[in-house]
């Protein structure tokens, strides 16, 4: 198929991950298919405005050659807008009926881009079609994952080039984001981005290290969780930062997507939440921990199990058994919870912070595998062109 037009639909619920993924994919496909017209349809703009300062409160706008349109606008103007040759339905969102009624007879391919999963069953489901029962439009499921047979992960060239730029200009970016940290080379510095969580154990254990640690707290839920913990502990308050023994916590303002990607590549470790931020962290090759979105009946733990299985499969020939056991335990303990709350978990942080060098060595091996064998962008491009 020669791609002429592409529409991407995204229904934002209550986080930045969905729009973060769609924004990233749209930019990359625009780069790959420069002669194609690409439009992105969003149910709301609040989160998009946070990650991209160019976004305005208008129902229809063009940013860097890509047209962004609200659901309200397409519902009113569906006939005028018409539909595209290929449609990407991100994360099972509900595409407005006014658009779909035209798409059934006008469009050729509807790709249902699912959420990232590490479970084995997605390999069999990936690229399976589902009859829509109306006219010529066909629907295909695209299943992101951590294996060659899945849809892969988003290792877009824009981000990989940004990583390379940060590495080549490390002094500049270190000064940009960490310039106000005294004796930076003698301290461990990392980001913390989470859902609601009790980090009391983190602070109690990190105090035992022989180096000072600076934690850059990001996001409202992270910062609120920390403040509630600090209310119960004696701390030193230095306006935008808090001191607790050897630990300094700095509360960061919201960063746009590009700034966040630069920052996580100059620090020593990243604790992240959700799927998009996790993949960004994995692609740094640096030590990281994933706070996965909590699901009913501990369904999220199946995803953690699946990820660990794929991770261990790739690095098994390079990592020690002790490493594999300890990292598996940390991932599971960190995420084992019935709901997001300030209930104290059972995870221990010491192994992670005492073995940052070994973690980075093994994570770099896993990162290289994903970039070379599991690039979702390349897989999506190839599928559309061969369709």
């Amino acid at each position: 198929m020669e791609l002429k037009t592409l529409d991407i639909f995204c229904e934002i619920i209550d986080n930045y991950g969905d729009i973060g993924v769609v924004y990233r994919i749209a930019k990359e496909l625009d780069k790959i298919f420069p002669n194609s017209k690409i439009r992105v349809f969003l149910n709301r703009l609040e989160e998009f405005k946070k990650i991209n300062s160019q976004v305005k409160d208008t129902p229809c706008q063009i940013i860097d050659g890509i047209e962004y349109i609200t659901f309200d606008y397409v519902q009113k103007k569906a006939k005028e807008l018409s539909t595209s040759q290929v449609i990407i339905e991100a994360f099972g969102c509900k595409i407005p009926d006014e658009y779909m009624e035209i798409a059934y007879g006008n469009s050729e391919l509807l790709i249902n881009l699912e959420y990232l999963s590490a479970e084995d069953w997605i390999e069999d489901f990936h690229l399976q079609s589902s009859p829509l029962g109306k006219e010529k439009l066909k629907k295909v499921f695209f299943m992101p994952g951590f294996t060659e047979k899945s849809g892969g992960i988003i290792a877009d060239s824009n981000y990989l080039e940004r990583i390379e730029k940060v590495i080549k200009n490390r002094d500049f970016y270190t000064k940009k984001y960490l310039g106000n940290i005294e004796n930076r080379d003698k301290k461990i510095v990392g980001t913390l981005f989470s859902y609601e969580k009790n980090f009391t154990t983190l602070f109690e254990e990190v105090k035992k290290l022989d180096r000072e640690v600076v934690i850059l707290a990001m996001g409202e839920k992270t910062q609120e969780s920390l403040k509630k913990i600090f209310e119960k502990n004696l701390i030193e308050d230095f306006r935008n930062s808090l001191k607790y023994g050897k630990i300094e916590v700095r509360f960061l303002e919201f960063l746009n997507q590009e700034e966040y990607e630069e920052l996580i590549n100059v620090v020593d470790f990243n604790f992240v939440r959700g799927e998009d931020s996790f993949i960004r962290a994995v692609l740094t090759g640096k030590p990281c921990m994933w706070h996965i979105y909590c699901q009913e009946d501990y369904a999220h733990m199946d995803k953690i199990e699946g990820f660990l299985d794929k991770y261990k499969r790739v690095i098994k020939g390079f990592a020690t058994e002790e490493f594999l056991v300890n990292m598996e335990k940390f991932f599971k303990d960190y995420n084992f919870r019935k709901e997001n709350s300030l209930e104290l978990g059972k995870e221990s942080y010491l192994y992670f912070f005492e073995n940052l060098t070994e973690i980075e060595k093994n994570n770099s091996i896993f990162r290289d595998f994903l970039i070379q064998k599991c690039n979702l962008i390349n897989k999506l491009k190839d599928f559309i062109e061969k369709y």
Side-chain angles (χ1 to χ4, degrees):
M1 174 189 292
E2 180 184 353
L3 185 65
K4 297 178 181 178
T5 56
L6 170 68
D7 286 346
I8 307 174
F9 283 82
C10 175
E11 191 170 15
I12 304 167
I13 307 300
D14 61 353
N15 60 68
Y16 301 98
D18 293 352
I19 179 57
V21 168
V22 167
Y23 177 46
R24 197 184 313 283
I25 289 177
K27 289 188 295 181
E28 189 72 356
L29 292 179
D30 184 58
K31 190 175 181 180
I32 293 172
F33 300 107
N35 298 319
S36 303
K37 180 180 179 181
I38 296 179
R39 302 184 298 188
V40 176
F41 295 85
L42 304 169
N43 63 320
R44 65 191 197 199
L45 299 171
E46 286 78 11
E47 289 81 359
F48 192 25
K49 286 190 290 185
K50 283 286 188 72
I51 69 171
N52 187 330
S53 59
Q54 298 181 69
V55 180
K56 307 299 180 186
D57 257 326
T58 181
C60 189
Q61 57 194 301
I62 296 177
I63 301 172
D64 298 329
I66 299 171
E67 192 169 9
Y68 294 89
I69 302 169
T70 65
F71 279 19
D72 286 343
Y73 189 81
V74 74
Q75 287 170 333
K76 297 173 184 175
K77 304 282 186 177
K79 290 183 179 179
E80 294 176 30
L81 292 169
S82 191
T83 67
S84 67
Q85 183 184 16
V86 176
I87 304 164
I88 295 179
E89 176 186 77
F91 319 123
C93 73
K94 178 69 168 63
I95 298 176
D97 293 335
E98 294 84 351
Y99 179 97
M100 284 305 300
E101 288 304 319
I102 301 170
Y104 288 128
N106 189 53
S107 301
E108 297 177 42
L109 174 64
L110 172 61
I111 299 174
N112 183 349
L113 178 66
E114 288 287 350
Y115 283 109
L116 176 71
S117 177
E119 296 173 81
D120 291 333
W121 63 267
I122 69 167
E123 291 185 353
D124 294 328
F125 207 54
H126 179 56
L127 298 186
Q128 292 297 312
S129 60
S130 172
L132 290 169
K134 291 188 178 182
E135 302 182 61
K136 70 174 185 178
L137 183 62
K138 293 183 179 179
K139 184 174 185 176
V140 174
F141 291 93
F142 204 92
M143 312 296 293
F146 296 95
T147 63
E148 294 178 65
K149 294 180 180 180
S150 72
I153 55 98
I154 303 174
D156 53 300
S157 64
N158 286 320
Y159 182 47
L160 298 181
E161 289 167 6
R162 186 169 294 114
I163 293 175
E164 192 66 27
K165 187 178 179 181
V166 171
I167 292 172
K168 288 182 178 178
N169 302 278
R170 184 167 297 282
D171 289 345
F172 171 81
Y173 287 102
T174 298
K175 185 176 181 180
K176 178 178 179 180
Y177 293 105
L178 311 177
N180 58 354
I181 298 177
E182 295 181 4
N183 300 317
R184 159 69 184 103
D185 293 338
K186 297 180 181 179
K187 297 177 179 177
I188 300 172
V189 183
T191 66
L192 179 59
F193 182 38
S194 69
Y195 300 109
E196 296 88 352
K197 189 168 179 63
N198 190 327
F199 289 103
T200 300
T201 306
L202 169 65
F203 292 107
E204 290 300 326
E205 293 190 343
V206 169
K207 280 199 307 181
K208 301 173 185 176
L209 298 176
D210 58 3
R211 292 173 67 187
E212 292 185 44
V213 177
V214 179
I215 293 175
L216 308 176
M218 310 178 68
E220 183 179 352
K221 292 181 179 180
T222 308
Q223 295 176 0
E224 288 301 316
S225 294
L226 293 174
K227 288 175 183 177
K228 288 177 182 178
I229 295 170
F230 290 145
E231 286 173 0
K232 302 176 182 179
N233 293 277
L234 182 63
I235 57 160
E236 297 177 72
D237 192 339
F238 299 98
R239 287 191 163 185
N240 69 328
S241 67
L242 299 167
K243 199 82 163 46
Y244 184 68
K246 293 180 181 179
I247 309 163
E248 180 184 355
V249 178
R250 298 193 176 192
F251 294 91
L252 298 192
E253 297 291 328
F254 196 93
L255 301 177
N256 65 35
Q257 192 177 76
E258 289 75 17
E259 291 170 333
Y260 176 72
E261 291 177 351
E262 291 170 351
L263 174 61
I264 63 176
N265 278 280
V266 295
V267 295
D268 301 310
F269 68 89
N270 294 289
F271 279 48
V272 298
R273 80 180 203 199
E275 296 172 5
D276 189 46
S277 296
F278 178 52
I279 294 303
R280 299 304 99 190
V282 167
L283 291 175
T284 68
K286 293 178 177 294
C288 63
M289 175 49 58
W290 183 17
H291 200 194
I292 194 171
Y293 187 78
C294 189
Q295 294 178 296
E296 290 184 10
D297 299 322
Y298 298 97
H300 58 285
M301 294 306 296
D302 292 334
K303 294 183 179 181
I304 290 291
E305 290 268 10
F307 165 73
L308 289 169
D309 176 62
K310 310 304 180 293
Y311 176 70
K312 291 188 295 182
R313 234 185 264 177
V314 173
I315 68 166
K316 194 168 185 179
F318 306 91
T320 65
E321 186 63 27
E322 179 190 9
F323 176 87
L324 296 174
V325 169
N326 278 282
M327 289 306 293
E328 179 174 9
K329 178 173 172 51
F330 187 30
F331 265 87
K332 289 180 178 179
D333 289 349
Y334 189 82
N335 285 285
F336 188 78
R337 65 202 189 284
K338 191 173 183 179
E339 59 184 1
N340 294 321
S341 71
L342 294 182
E343 181 181 352
L344 191 63
K346 61 179 182 177
E347 69 270 12
S348 173
Y349 296 83
L350 276 180
Y351 184 86
F352 180 88
F353 283 98
E354 290 175 344
N355 294 274
L356 293 174
T357 301
E358 186 178 4
I359 296 172
E360 184 161 2
K361 181 195 74 172
N362 291 316
N363 282 7
S364 295
I365 293 169
F366 187 60
R367 171 204 61 199
D368 293 344
F369 165 77
L370 292 176
I371 292 173
Q372 295 165 15
K373 304 290 187 179
C374 307
N375 192 325
L376 181 145
I377 298 297
N378 292 341
K379 290 173 177 283
L380 191 58
K381 170 184 176 292
D382 291 343
F383 175 68
I384 290 174
E385 289 181 336
K386 293 175 182 178
Y387 185 80

